[in-house]
DNA sequence: GGTGCAGTTTCCGTTAAAGTCAACGACTTA
DNA sequence: TAAGTCGTTGACTTTAACGGAAACTGCACC
């Protein structure tokens, strides 16, 4: 329980390329669970805290989700974790089952969203790629012509 | 030259799920080339205009780019198009070649960005997916247990 | 041609989200 | 103990729009 390395806000901020202010802000709007503190009041972030934060940052950077959307996801995850703990103890098998089902649904939904996004971006990528192929073709043609001229001239 | 169908701002907005206000805003910040107008001053968007807009909207929606970032991309594309036209007329083969090379570089850079993004999102997706697999496994185990109990009881 | 009305124009002002800045005291650590 | 961090609070900023006023346009109907 004590071999965990806790980081202070500045270190965490640097690691994730945010500012300490932003971390406090995320906490303020309920996006981040309040981390533990030193006696003096300084925030101490656990590995789990940082993990959650990384998740948040990625949803934001990669998907462009708003903090409100991210909050929903995070809350869903949090509830999943709660259910998981509850599920370990709940003697009632049916309760366990229902908890897991709910959690599973949340996760699968997330995967679906990501898959959808992947497909759309891939489509966009292909459009750009095809355009670049066409340009490349044209370029090579020009280069061939240019080469021919050079050869002719130098003969 | 006249079989093009021009759309008014409201129709375009509806089609792309934006508001007319937003279209004017994009134009104001230089993200959108000013479209042509009717005699009375109403904006008329060509198919090409709408195409560019679709590109913008997708960069925004799919990648979460800021309007400033999108502007850079759009400007790069615009310069590519300019180069392309220039390249058609430029009698000088070397000039053509250089234009095409620059354009190609822009496009390939774009593809790279998209590929990078795709990889990162795929990674995220896989993490979620694996978690969901683990939960599913656990769920099936519970369901099996539950079934066993039922059979036992009903015997 | 006149009238009505929805859609559009420009010109403001306002807003919501996501931070950023500043001040100043309290805490940590070298 | 001095230098560097951190805490809180409240005001400020930037981005990406939204809303409304007042006037103008396009088009359909009479």
């Amino acid at each position: 329980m004590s071999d965990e390395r806790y980081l202070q806000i500045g270190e965490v901020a640097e690691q994730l390329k945010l500012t300490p202010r932003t971390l406090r802000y995320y906490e303020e709007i309920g996006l981040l669970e309040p981390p533990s503190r030193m006696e003096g009041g300084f925030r101490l972030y656990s590995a789990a805290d940082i993990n959650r934060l990384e998740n948040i940052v990625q949803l934001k950077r990669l998907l462009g989700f708003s903090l409100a959307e991210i909050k929903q996801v995070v809350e869903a995850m949090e509830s999943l974790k709660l259910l998981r703990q509850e599920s370990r103890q709940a003697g009632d098998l049916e309760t366990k089952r229902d908890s897991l089902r709910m959690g599973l649904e949340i996760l699968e939904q997330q995967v679906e969203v990501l898959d959808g996004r992947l497909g759309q971006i891939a489509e966009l990528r292909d459009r750009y790629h095809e355009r670049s192929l066409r340009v490349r073709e044209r370029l090579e043609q020009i280069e061939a012509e240019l080469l021919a001229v050079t050869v002719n001239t130098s003969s």
Side-chain angles (χ1 to χ4, degrees), chain A:
Chain A
M1 204 103 216
S2 62
D3 65 342
E4 272 205 71
R5 258 214 78 222
Y6 288 91
L7 297 186
Q8 281 183 233
I9 197 167
E11 306 173 285
V12 175
E14 190 181 7
Q15 196 177 312
L16 300 188
K17 282 166 188 184
L18 300 171
T19 65
R21 197 70 187 74
T22 300
L23 292 189
R24 290 188 206 109
Y25 174 65
Y26 283 179
E27 186 181 330
E28 186 187 327
I29 64 173
L31 195 53
L32 219 58
E33 298 267 298
S36 55
R37 305 266 184 141
M38 302 193 214
E39 292 102 18
F42 283 22
R43 268 162 262 245
L44 284 178
Y45 294 83
S46 72
D49 288 331
I50 294 172
N51 224 298
R52 268 194 293 271
L53 237 172
E54 264 168 354
N55 222 322
I56 289 171
V57 169
Q58 265 180 336
L59 288 177
K60 184 149 180 33
R61 293 217 179 118
L62 298 181
L63 288 303
F65 281 14
S66 72
L67 296 187
E69 287 171 308
I70 293 175
K71 196 171 171 186
Q72 287 188 335
V73 175
V74 167
E75 269 162 12
M77 289 311 201
E78 223 50 36
S79 88
L80 179 65
K81 180 171 302 171
L82 269 183
L83 290 180
R84 213 167 153 60
Q85 290 175 344
E86 174 189 307
S87 160
R88 285 201 194 291
Q89 298 166 329
D92 188 354
L93 272 185
E94 269 145 13
T95 306
K96 277 194 192 183
R97 184 199 54 194
D98 293 347
S99 299
L100 286 172
R101 272 191 189 156
M102 285 180 67
L104 186 60
E105 202 178 327
I106 292 166
L107 275 172
E108 285 180 343
Q109 242 169 264
Q110 226 56 50
V111 172
E112 244 175 75
V113 169
L114 258 23
D115 277 340
R117 194 61 75 97
L118 278 172
Q120 289 176 298
I121 295 179
E123 212 176 290
L124 192 63
R125 185 219 104 105
D126 288 348
R127 282 216 300 282
Y128 280 68
H129 185 56
E130 258 172 58
R131 265 190 84 178
S132 90
L133 287 184
R134 283 202 302 276
V135 174
R136 175 184 289 280
E137 207 174 294
R138 183 130 173 63
L139 173 61
E140 273 160 10
Q141 189 190 324
I142 298 277
E143 277 170 342
E145 277 178 47
L146 210 58
L147 193 64
V149 172
T150 314
V151 169
N152 254 14
T153 309
S154 74
S155 75

